[in-house]
Amino acid sequence: MLNTIPPVSDVHRIEVHAAGTPSTGLGTAAVGVITIASLYFGRDVFVPMALAILLSFALGPAVLLLRRWHINRILAVIVVVTLAFAVILGIGAAIGTQLAHLAENLPGYQFNITEKIHSLRDTTTSSGVVGRAVKTLSDLGGEVTKPSESVGGPTATRPAIVAPGVQQQKPIPVEIRQSSATPLQLIMQLAAPLLQPLATAGIVVVFVIFFLLQRQDLRDRIIRLAGTRDLQRTTRALDDAARRLSRYLLIQTGINASLGVFVGTGLWFIGVPNPLLWGILTMLLRFVPYIGPVIAAAFPAALAVAVDPGWSMLLWVAGLFIVAEGITGQFIEPWLYGQSMGLSGVAVVVAAAFWTLLWGPVGLLLSTPLTMCLVVLGRHVETLQFLEVLLGDRPPLAPEESFYQRLLANDPDEAAHQAEAFLKDKPLAAYYDEVAIKGLALAQLDVDRGALDHANRVRIKEAVEWVIDDLSDHVDDAIPTDKEGAAEVTALPSVLAPEELAPDWQGVAVLCVAGRGSLDEAAAAMLAQLLERHGISARVVPYEAVSVTNLPQLDVTDVQMACLSYLEPGNLANPRYLVRRLRRRLPQAKIINGFWTMTTQEAEERNALTATRADFVVTSLQQAVEEVVNLAKGAASDEVRFAAVAISPSTPSALQEVQ
């Protein structure tokens, strides 16, 4: 009969695409070079635009909130932008005030700084350890490079030769005096450094207002450029980008503000002057990846050196930043971000270097949000999928692909390590069905297209046996099935004790037969291990042992069942002939055909049970184990019934009680 339990998962299928032509590759490279060059030479325009887009995503939720309160769009945008830039200007004013106060107090720290410089200088003088070492090395170097004296002694300095009758003239001193600057020139000199930042800020404000006012129109235009044939995908991509970026900015701002408050409070307790200034700088500089926290810690550390006559305040400041950054970076940020970023660690580093090279410090500030947008595009736009592969945090290979790659690389230990991570949430049978069997199916595809020779197939089989041996001590009972968010696990068959088995099943009761080759034998080894874990003794039989020549010599003592293992059954002729041969050798045994790459629906459509004339057809190892366990239980129940009839054949009530 055909088992109707749905398979654990379908076989992973590989689609082979034609390689792109060289002209296509050159065209893509040319487009990439032109794009990067445009970003570099047009940074005066693109940088304010990128900042405006970033602020628009950050302020967009606030505008939408005001719109839900039935406030006019223009008024909502003006209110939000005004409040946002008022906060920015307020932070700038607070920083300026604190810096002015710090500048007034710096002369009072001169004595401590001088004393510490003297203490450091003492270690480098001739009496200090460093000074003595430097003097010794200098003397040795002088001896090596000392020139040898000439025979006539040192050369005397000769006076300059002057022609007769010519009086030697003294050089005329020259003094350069700069004319006093006019008031207009002074104003221009003071305003010149501020013109560029003010112009950039003005452009950013204009862009932010425009983006917020024309948000829906810009969205429609982007969809039009992307193409209206797939509105669902384009809309999903834009929503995903907006959601991830807004969430990232909101979480990052909250984390940085909280850390700034914590650092400022800690510096106030330690006694570092101007703790408000350092708290604000900590909040702002943490938006800059990697170097921002270092710079934020360097300023109060330097001030602690100037304020404290000793070194204890410096140690307290360093400890405060190490603890704060350690807890935030290792625990709080990963917990809060979750999947909102979608970037790999390598991508963050590469993106920081790339955008800094293009746009300088502003590029470093924008590197993470911009790269996040590229990953979202790669996730939803097929032609840009390489961006998601290179920069995203998703595993580059599917679990079955990674398993097969480890087997090809002859690295079964790494495959077993990955299996242990999978087995934290699912049982061993699920790992074999969802990962290992599907990985072997990929190998079978390579065999079918002639890319995997016999030697490599044998090597893969041996690697699988290695993995099976490494997983032999795994216990499924330790799976946290009650954990919130854990994957659903199919109920496992019961483990049969030896006394629960019928006498005929207490020996090697099951033969796990490889259908066509070494890869089928590897799958049969997985099935044998699962049966052993459920209390049923099994033995793996290679495909050569069931050939027409070798089958008469096969040991079939105590065999009650044969399980045929096929990764690719082909046209079902081979399973049918193998079942026929085994019927003659094992007339009383049950035969199961395991077609591991089929689904239940495919097996029904191909009428696999009738075509192969087996007793059962299964499409997963889990189903095969369930069938064998059920047959073993049924045999034990029949044995009990027969024993009851033999003891009291004339008492029907006794038989009913046993049943």
Side-chain angles (χ1 to χ4, degrees):
M1 68 175 181
L2 178 64
N3 196 309
T4 59
I5 299 177
V8 177
S9 58
D10 296 335
V11 179
H12 179 74
R13 303 185 184 275
I14 297 179
E15 296 181 0
V16 180
H17 299 277
T21 61
S23 60
T24 303
L26 291 176
T28 304
V31 171
V33 171
I34 293 173
T35 302
I36 294 174
S38 301
L39 291 174
Y40 178 76
F41 291 106
R43 56 185 178 273
D44 291 338
V45 175
F46 289 120
V47 168
M49 186 178 296
L51 286 171
I53 292 174
L54 190 65
L55 288 174
S56 299
F57 278 111
L59 301 178
V63 174
L64 292 178
L65 180 62
L66 293 181
R67 291 286 295 151
R68 292 193 188 100
W69 293 348
H70 305 288
I71 298 178
N72 181 269
R73 177 183 295 275
I74 297 177
L75 181 60
V77 170
I78 293 175
V79 169
V80 170
V81 172
T82 302
L83 290 178
F85 283 93
V87 171
I88 294 174
L89 292 176
I91 293 175
I95 293 176
T97 303
Q98 291 290 312
L99 286 176
H101 185 265
L102 177 64
E104 293 176 358
N105 295 333
L106 280 180
Y109 309 139
Q110 182 178 357
F111 177 77
N112 291 334
I113 298 175
T114 304
E115 290 297 321
K116 290 183 178 179
I117 292 175
H118 289 167
S119 64
L120 293 175
R121 184 183 298 172
D122 290 340
T123 61
T124 60
T125 58
S126 58
S127 59
V129 176
V130 178
R132 290 197 300 269
V134 171
K135 184 177 183 303
T136 302
L137 294 176
S138 178
D139 293 342
L140 293 176
E143 291 295 330
V144 173
T145 60
K146 183 178 181 181
S148 58
E149 294 183 356
S150 60
V151 177
T155 304
T157 303
R158 298 179 181 179
I161 300 175
V162 182
V166 178
Q167 186 177 2
Q168 186 176 2
Q169 297 180 353
K170 296 182 179 180
I172 301 175
V174 178
E175 182 179 357
I176 299 176
R177 293 184 179 180
Q178 188 175 5
S179 59
S180 57
T182 62
L184 180 60
Q185 291 177 338
L186 291 176
I187 294 175
M188 292 299 298
Q189 291 176 1
L190 294 175
L194 300 176
L195 289 178
Q196 181 68 24
L198 290 177
T200 302
I203 295 174
V204 169
V205 173
V206 173
F207 275 153
V208 168
I209 295 175
F210 175 77
F211 289 156
L212 290 175
L213 288 176
Q214 302 294 326
R215 178 176 180 177
Q216 300 299 330
D217 182 69
L218 291 174
R219 181 193 186 97
D220 295 341
R221 294 181 184 276
I222 293 174
I223 292 175
R224 178 65 179 176
L225 289 174
T228 57
R229 294 183 178 179
D230 195 351
L231 289 174
Q232 187 266 345
R233 173 178 291 184
T234 306
T235 303
R236 190 171 67 247
L238 293 176
D239 290 342
D240 192 12
R243 178 182 59 82
R244 287 179 180 271
L245 196 54
S246 299
R247 177 178 170 81
Y248 166 75
L249 293 174
L250 177 62
I251 293 177
Q252 186 70 38
T253 302
I255 292 175
N256 292 356
S258 301
L259 189 64
V261 172
F262 176 78
V263 168
T265 305
L267 293 177
W268 179 74
F269 276 107
I270 294 173
V272 178
N274 304 100
L276 177 61
L277 172 64
W278 311 127
I280 295 175
L281 288 181
T282 300
M283 179 188 70
L284 298 179
L285 289 173
R286 284 199 87 256
F287 283 101
V288 180
Y290 306 113
I291 64 173
V294 177
I295 298 175
F299 287 116
L303 186 60
V305 173
V307 172
D308 187 16
W311 300 95
S312 60
M313 184 178 289
L314 174 63
L315 297 178
W316 279 107
V317 172
L320 174 66
F321 276 92
I322 290 174
V323 171
E325 287 294 336
I327 295 175
T328 303
Q330 298 300 322
F331 300 100
I332 297 178
E333 286 181 335
W335 175 58
L336 290 178
Y337 282 142
Q339 299 296 322
S340 63
M341 291 184 62
L343 301 179
S344 66
V346 177
V348 175
V349 176
V350 174
F354 174 78
W355 291 108
T356 303
L357 181 64
L358 282 182
W359 293 347
V362 179
L364 180 62
L365 176 65
L366 299 174
S367 61
T368 300
L370 291 176
T371 308
M372 190 186 308
C373 293
L374 292 178
V375 170
V376 172
L377 288 176
R379 185 166 297 172
H380 296 284
V381 181
E382 186 175 357
T383 56
L384 300 177
Q385 189 176 6
F386 69 95
L387 293 174
E388 202 272 336
V389 175
L390 292 176
L391 305 175
D393 60 350
R394 292 182 179 179
L397 296 177
E400 61 271 17
E401 294 172 338
S402 180
F403 176 80
Y404 180 39
Q405 190 277 329
R406 299 303 187 270
L407 299 183
L408 288 174
N410 198 21
D411 191 4
D413 290 334
E414 179 62 22
H417 177 71
Q418 293 179 346
E420 290 173 353
F422 183 94
L423 293 173
K424 292 179 180 179
D425 298 324
K426 293 186 179 181
L428 184 61
Y431 171 75
Y432 284 156
D433 277 327
E434 297 178 19
V435 178
I437 289 295
K438 294 171 72 173
L440 290 177
L442 296 177
Q444 185 64 48
L445 290 176
D446 286 344
V447 172
D448 295 341
R449 63 188 183 91
L452 200 64
D453 57 17
H454 176 72
N456 283 322
R457 294 199 296 270
V458 173
R459 185 162 56 86
I460 288 175
K461 184 205 73 169
E462 294 173 350
V464 171
E465 292 173 347
W466 192 319
V467 174
I468 291 173
D469 182 70
D470 287 341
L471 300 179
S472 59
D473 57 350
H474 172 74
V475 180
D476 286 339
D477 294 339
I479 299 173
T481 55
D482 58 342
K483 182 179 178 181
E484 184 179 356
E488 293 184 3
V489 179
T490 305
L492 300 175
S494 58
V495 178
L496 301 178
E499 59 272 11
E500 296 181 88
L501 295 173
D504 294 340
W505 283 78
Q506 293 181 359
V508 181
V510 180
L511 291 182
C512 298
V513 182
R516 301 176 65 181
S518 301
L519 300 180
D520 294 332
E521 186 177 348
M526 298 179 196
L527 177 59
Q529 186 191 55
L530 293 176
L531 292 174
E532 293 281 354
R533 294 166 67 88
H534 287 81
I536 300 173
S537 182
R539 174 161 57 95
V540 178
V541 178
Y543 67 98
E544 299 92 345
V546 293
S547 63
V548 176
T549 304
N550 298 328
L551 186 58
Q553 288 77 38
L554 180 65
D555 182 14
V556 295
T557 306
D558 297 331
V559 173
Q560 304 298 315
M561 177 173 286
C563 296
L564 310 187
S565 176
Y566 285 95
L567 287 170
E568 179 55 53
N571 59 5
L572 300 181
N574 183 279
R576 182 172 64 252
Y577 294 137
L578 183 53
V579 169
R580 184 183 300 175
R581 292 198 300 271
L582 289 174
R583 290 282 190 206
R584 293 194 295 265
R585 189 76 174 87
L586 297 166
Q588 303 299 325
K590 299 292 185 180
I591 298 179
I592 296 179
N593 271 334
F595 300 140
W596 314 127
T597 59
M598 280 189 185
T599 64
T600 301
Q601 182 178 358
E602 289 174 342
E604 291 176 348
E605 291 174 353
R606 298 181 63 177
N607 198 14
L609 186 63
T610 303
T612 60
R613 299 178 183 177
D615 296 295
F616 305 95
V617 168
V618 294
T619 57
S620 69
L621 297 178
Q622 178 77 16
Q623 295 178 30
V625 172
E626 291 175 356
E627 290 293 346
V628 175
V629 170
N630 291 335
L631 286 173
K633 288 181 178 179
S637 299
D638 292 341
E639 186 70 23
V640 171
R641 286 196 296 269
F642 293 152
V645 171
I647 293 173
S648 181
S650 60
T651 310
S653 60
L655 179 58
Q656 293 175 359
E657 291 179 1
V658 173
Q659 292 176 345

